[in-house]
Amino acid sequence: MPFSQFLDYLHLEKNYSAHTLTAYKADLSAFQNFLKEEFDSEDLTEVNYPQIRTWIVSLVESGISNRSVNRKVSSLKAYYRFLQKTGHMEISPLAKHRALKTPVKVQVPFSEKEVKQVLDSFETDTFVGIRDKLIVELFYTTGLRRIELINIKAGEIDEENQVIKVLGKRNKERYIPLLASVCESVKAYRSARKALEVSLNGNHFFISESGVKLSESFVYRIINNYFSKVSGKLKTSPHILRHSFATHLLNQGANLNAVKELLGHSSLASTQVYTHNSIAELSKVHKMAHPRNKKD
């Protein structure tokens, strides 16, 4: 079965981004090329696990990190699940595969001070300034994923009821409450957007000055540009803002299950990675409040 059907499935049924689809295609093509060179075959349905294991070993020996190898194998595993689902394969050759061990990667969130510095830096008398400020506010106050923010439609933000409808992974809808201050920023952006003398291409809420839907790389550059000026962190991406949203909520005592729902996670395990950064804050509270730590 050609990759195109699998990629169409990911795009139409799973709502995966163009960036993700490109990564899947590259991973599958790389494995197919490996099969052709090493085993004189391009048929992925006739593959056995020892052949896949040989590919994994070659990737590791080439210097690719275990994390990157696991991602590539994950693409292959997803393809075989699709073949099983569509009746083209009974048993996946990766059915008993175990992922390579990887070090725990703790993302460092922005501090509340850094976020405030960025939000205070915007010039709100221009379309770009108004738009970029709202983008930062939405990432930080709702925990949106980058692709979720890009795909927001004009009618999916309800300022009156202070809520936003989001289409997440696997086309799963969720509603996230909005702060009153963010709703004011939404109104300001709507006015600035309406004042643009351009023909709008589609119904996407966030657009460029020429009326075009924003790309993932464009949104990344917006966040990186503003936060690199106030932060010395190596990573200043939209994901770090999402990370900051979760961490700051947990630091203030938010319920883990509530944060899970806001983030759109399917399992609590995905949300628990954010508790690493709140441990330090919890430790402070614990030491200050516990009676056994009180000195006479």
Side-chain angles (χ1 to χ4, degrees):
M1 174 180 286
F3 299 156
S4 58
Q5 294 182 37
F6 172 57
L7 296 174
D8 286 343
Y9 164 74
L10 295 180
H11 174 59
L12 300 173
E13 298 293 328
K14 295 292 188 178
N15 195 37
Y16 283 8
S17 69
H19 177 76
T20 301
L21 296 178
T22 300
Y24 270 92
K25 184 177 180 179
D27 293 337
L28 293 174
S29 296
F31 179 60
Q32 190 174 54
N33 291 335
F34 176 82
L35 283 180
K36 186 176 181 179
E37 293 176 5
E38 295 293 323
F39 303 102
D40 195 28
S41 172
E42 294 183 73
D43 190 351
L44 270 64
T45 63
E46 297 297 325
V47 169
N48 56 48
Y49 183 68
Q51 290 174 317
I52 298 176
R53 184 68 185 173
T54 302
W55 178 54
I56 293 173
V57 170
S58 73
L59 292 173
V60 172
E61 290 180 342
S62 70
I64 296 176
S65 70
N66 285 6
R67 190 180 300 277
S68 294
V69 172
N70 285 342
R71 184 189 60 76
K72 292 176 183 296
V73 175
S74 178
S75 297
L76 194 58
K77 187 180 288 187
Y79 180 62
Y80 285 132
R81 281 199 301 266
F82 173 73
L83 293 181
Q84 288 178 292
K85 186 174 183 178
T86 54
H88 291 82
M89 178 176 281
E90 289 187 12
I91 301 175
S92 167
L94 282 164
K96 295 184 179 181
H97 172 74
R98 290 187 176 183
L100 302 179
K101 290 185 178 180
T102 58
V104 177
K105 191 175 182 180
V106 179
Q107 301 280 7
V108 180
F110 297 121
S111 67
E112 293 180 39
K113 181 181 178 181
E114 288 172 334
V115 176
K116 185 178 185 303
Q117 282 181 299
V118 169
L119 289 174
D120 289 343
S121 70
F122 290 103
E123 297 179 5
T124 53
D125 57 351
T126 66
F127 170 78
V128 170
I130 294 170
R131 180 200 63 197
D132 292 358
K133 181 182 181 183
L134 178 57
I135 286 175
V136 172
E137 285 183 308
L138 280 177
F139 275 135
Y140 181 59
T141 63
T142 66
L144 288 176
R145 299 179 177 94
R146 179 170 28 165
I147 190 63
E148 292 172 344
L149 179 133
I150 290 170
N151 286 331
I152 293 172
K153 301 298 189 300
E156 291 175 339
I157 299 183
D158 184 347
E159 299 98 293
E160 183 177 347
N161 293 305
Q162 298 187 351
V163 69
I164 180 174
K165 183 175 79 171
V166 178
L167 186 64
K169 290 184 176 180
R170 295 173 292 278
N171 286 324
K172 184 180 177 182
E173 285 186 356
R174 71 183 188 279
Y175 289 84
I176 305 175
L178 295 175
L179 300 178
S181 59
V182 176
C183 288
E184 290 303 313
S185 295
V186 170
K187 291 176 183 177
Y189 173 70
R190 284 194 193 277
S191 297
R193 185 177 185 272
K194 189 175 181 180
L196 284 178
E197 296 181 356
V198 295
S199 57
L200 301 181
N201 184 9
N203 193 35
H204 289 93
F205 186 61
F206 285 109
I207 58 174
S208 67
E209 290 178 282
S210 57
V212 178
K213 173 189 174 183
L214 302 185
S215 68
E216 290 190 60
S217 59
F218 187 88
V219 172
Y220 176 88
R221 288 196 299 272
I222 288 175
I223 301 304
N224 183 62
N225 177 53
Y226 288 108
F227 278 88
S228 62
K229 294 175 181 176
V230 303
S231 175
K233 293 178 177 60
L234 293 177
K235 291 192 69 174
T236 52
S237 67
H239 181 72
I240 299 300
L241 258 183
R242 174 174 160 88
H243 189 59
S244 304
F245 162 80
T247 302
H248 294 173
L249 282 181
L250 291 169
N251 284 348
Q252 294 297 320
N255 178 275
L256 191 63
N257 276 301
V259 176
K260 167 185 170 291
E261 294 301 317
L262 291 169
L263 291 171
H265 284 159
S266 57
S267 70
L268 199 60
S270 299
T271 315
Q272 285 175 328
V273 299
Y274 297 107
T275 61
H276 291 295
N277 292 287
S278 63
I279 290 297
E281 192 67 26
L282 289 174
S283 179
K284 289 182 186 177
V285 174
H286 180 256
K287 289 178 180 178
M288 289 176 61
H290 201 283
R292 292 294 296 171
N293 198 46
K294 304 286 186 181
K295 292 185 177 180
D296 294 337

